[in-house]
Amino acid sequence: MALGLLLNSWGSGLSAQTTEQRATACAAGGGDPAACAAAAVSARQVIAQIDLVARTDTNVLITGENGTGKSLVASAIHNESPRSRRPMIHLKGGAVSPDAIESELFGHIRGAFGGALRDKPGKLELAHGGTLFIDELGDIPFDQQGKLLETLQRRSVTRRGEDRERSLDLRVIAATGRNLEREVQAGRMRQDLVLFLNVFPIHCTPLRDRPEDIPPLASHLLKLACKRLGRNQPIVTEGIMRQLQRYDWPGNVRELANVIERSAIVSRGGKLVVDIRTPSQPSVRGATALLTEAEVEQIRIANTIACLKEAGGRVSGPNGAAALLGVRPTTLYSRIQKLGLSSRD
């Protein structure tokens, strides 16, 4: 995927130039395309923050909407750190069931529970000497957050089913797309864990707030897509570029990469043809424009589906979709039935 290739270009280009040199190269429209794209994805402030914190052992908390490049920032920090000789261990809490998260984090020994047929180190232990990246901190169950904090503060881990402590030497980078202050107030997040991790905060700005970054980024993504598809690179007209800059990009860089690749496939005649409207999403208008009832309904459907996906299909409970929306579970159940949503959605 173009975003993955961009990740590699960022990691390799960070040390080659200073922040100011990279920013100047982008502003002038020259320099290495990968370095220019890196400056576009992160923006000057984020690149400067990466330069400052990468060579330290300080914990980092990365915030931002989905698709803004939080994993990109984490990889860049690790790749430029003294710990880069070891791999960055990735923990994605949402991909692990709540019942299995303890073993995933802390590990277990054979016989610790039913189905534990062999010893298994957890992500914390695997990250010894390197970096642990917690992708979506808010997915860690509340009852495991205290144990995680104690383990990190004590700098030792104990596998499930045994008493032996194993020393830990690791750096933690955490990322979240949620409002952690609201999560703490709602009782879904421990404030002491947030404070422990939030030593050096980095915020990834959504793409809609930096339209000036779209031209160099779109050009770089188009070059990558055409190379991968084995096609000649079409021309991006000023009108198409203005269209890209006017769009709101709710999916941020990830959505831009998808749109550019799709456009590279369908374009004929030497010019890039872009269609950024999707069936489930109304076209984006100005902030003051009025919406029809049908458009409002589509937004409500899309938002409800997004919350259900974020909650893993759960409606009730502290991490359920109802809690994310700030409504009662019974209200959300009624809304799902009214909108005609099903598991296929």
Side-chain angles (χ1 to χ4, degrees), residues 108-127:
H108 61 256
I109 62 171
R110 180 180 177 182
F113 53 88
L117 303 178
R118 58 182 178 83
D119 291 359
K120 178 188 174 183
K123 297 287 189 181
L124 286 159
E125 198 174 331
L126 291 173

Side-chain angles (χ1 to χ4, degrees), residues 182-183 186 188 315-329 332:
R182 188 169 60 204
E183 293 293 299
R188 294 188 290 266
V315 172
S316 57
N319 296 316
L324 294 177
L325 287 169
V327 300
R328 297 173 63 87
L332 183 54

Side-chain angles (χ1 to χ4, degrees), residues 16-326:
Q17 295 177 296
T18 66
T19 302
E20 190 60 35
Q21 287 171 330
R22 286 192 300 273
T24 301
C26 277
D32 178 67
C36 187
V41 173
S42 65
R44 295 186 191 183
Q45 183 179 4
V46 173
I47 293 180
Q49 289 176 304
I50 293 171
D51 286 339
L52 286 171
V53 79
R55 292 171 181 81
T56 72
D57 254 353
T58 300
N59 293 336
V60 179
L61 181 60
I62 308 167
T63 57
E65 297 176 5
N66 290 339
T68 51
K70 297 187 293 293
S71 297
L72 207 64
V73 173
S75 294
I77 292 171
H78 173 73
N79 291 338
E80 291 300 306
S81 75
R83 296 179 178 271
S84 60
R85 297 184 301 274
R86 300 273 297 174
M88 182 173 74
I89 302 301
H90 192 154
L91 171 68
K92 191 166 182 64
V96 184
S97 68
D99 294 337
I101 194 70
E102 184 178 4
S103 289
E104 192 72 10
L105 268 171
F106 307 103
H108 61 256
I109 62 171
R110 180 180 177 182
F113 53 88
L117 303 178
R118 58 182 178 83
D119 291 359
K120 178 188 174 183
K123 297 287 189 181
L124 286 159
E125 198 174 331
L126 291 173
H128 179 67
T131 302
L132 175 66
F133 175 44
I134 304 175
D135 191 357
E136 192 42 72
L137 179 64
D139 282 336
I140 304 295
F142 187 83
D143 58 350
Q144 296 298 326
Q145 293 175 20
K147 184 176 179 181
L148 174 61
L149 175 62
E150 182 185 0
T151 297
L152 294 174
Q153 290 177 326
R154 198 174 63 241
R155 303 186 71 82
S156 65
V157 63
T158 303
R159 294 183 185 179
R160 289 183 64 183
E162 74 171 357
D163 298 325
R164 173 189 170 191
E165 290 191 358
R166 303 165 190 265
S167 62
L168 285 179
D169 173 24
L170 54 79
R171 181 208 209 147
V172 181
I173 302 175
T176 184
R178 302 180 187 179
N179 184 323
L180 290 182
E181 183 177 350
R182 188 169 60 204
E183 293 293 299
V184 169
Q185 291 174 351
R188 294 188 290 266
M189 198 76 223
R190 290 183 62 113
Q191 186 173 30
D192 48 2
L193 178 60
V194 174
L195 292 173
F196 180 83
L197 296 173
N198 195 24
V199 179
F200 195 92
I202 296 179
H203 180 67
C204 295
T205 307
L207 197 56
R208 65 177 173 273
D209 291 343
R210 44 190 176 94
E212 70 281 357
D213 287 344
I214 291 176
L217 181 55
S219 297
H220 183 67
L221 292 171
L222 180 60
K223 180 180 179 180
L224 293 175
C226 290
K227 182 178 180 180
R228 186 171 57 258
L229 296 169
R231 301 197 175 192
N232 293 328
Q233 185 171 336
I235 296 172
V236 184
T237 64
E238 290 185 7
I240 288 295
M241 193 60 75
R242 285 195 296 269
Q243 182 184 354
L244 293 174
Q245 289 183 291
R246 282 197 301 266
Y247 184 59
D248 210 32
W249 299 112
N252 290 293
V253 179
R254 186 179 298 128
E255 183 182 6
L256 175 61
N258 292 342
V259 167
I260 292 296
E261 183 166 349
R262 182 168 65 247
S263 300
I265 293 172
V266 302
S267 295
R268 295 289 186 271
K271 292 184 179 180
L272 189 71
V273 177
V274 172
D275 181 7
I276 53 180
R277 296 184 62 175
T278 62
S280 62
Q281 196 174 54
S283 59
V284 176
R285 304 183 181 182
T288 58
L290 298 177
L291 298 177
T292 66
E293 283 296 315
E295 289 173 332
V296 171
E297 190 76 349
Q298 285 297 318
I299 292 173
R300 181 182 291 273
I301 291 172
N303 189 56
T304 302
I305 292 173
C307 284
L308 286 167
K309 287 182 178 179
E310 182 74 14
R314 297 187 302 274
V315 172
S316 57
N319 296 316
L324 294 177
L325 287 169

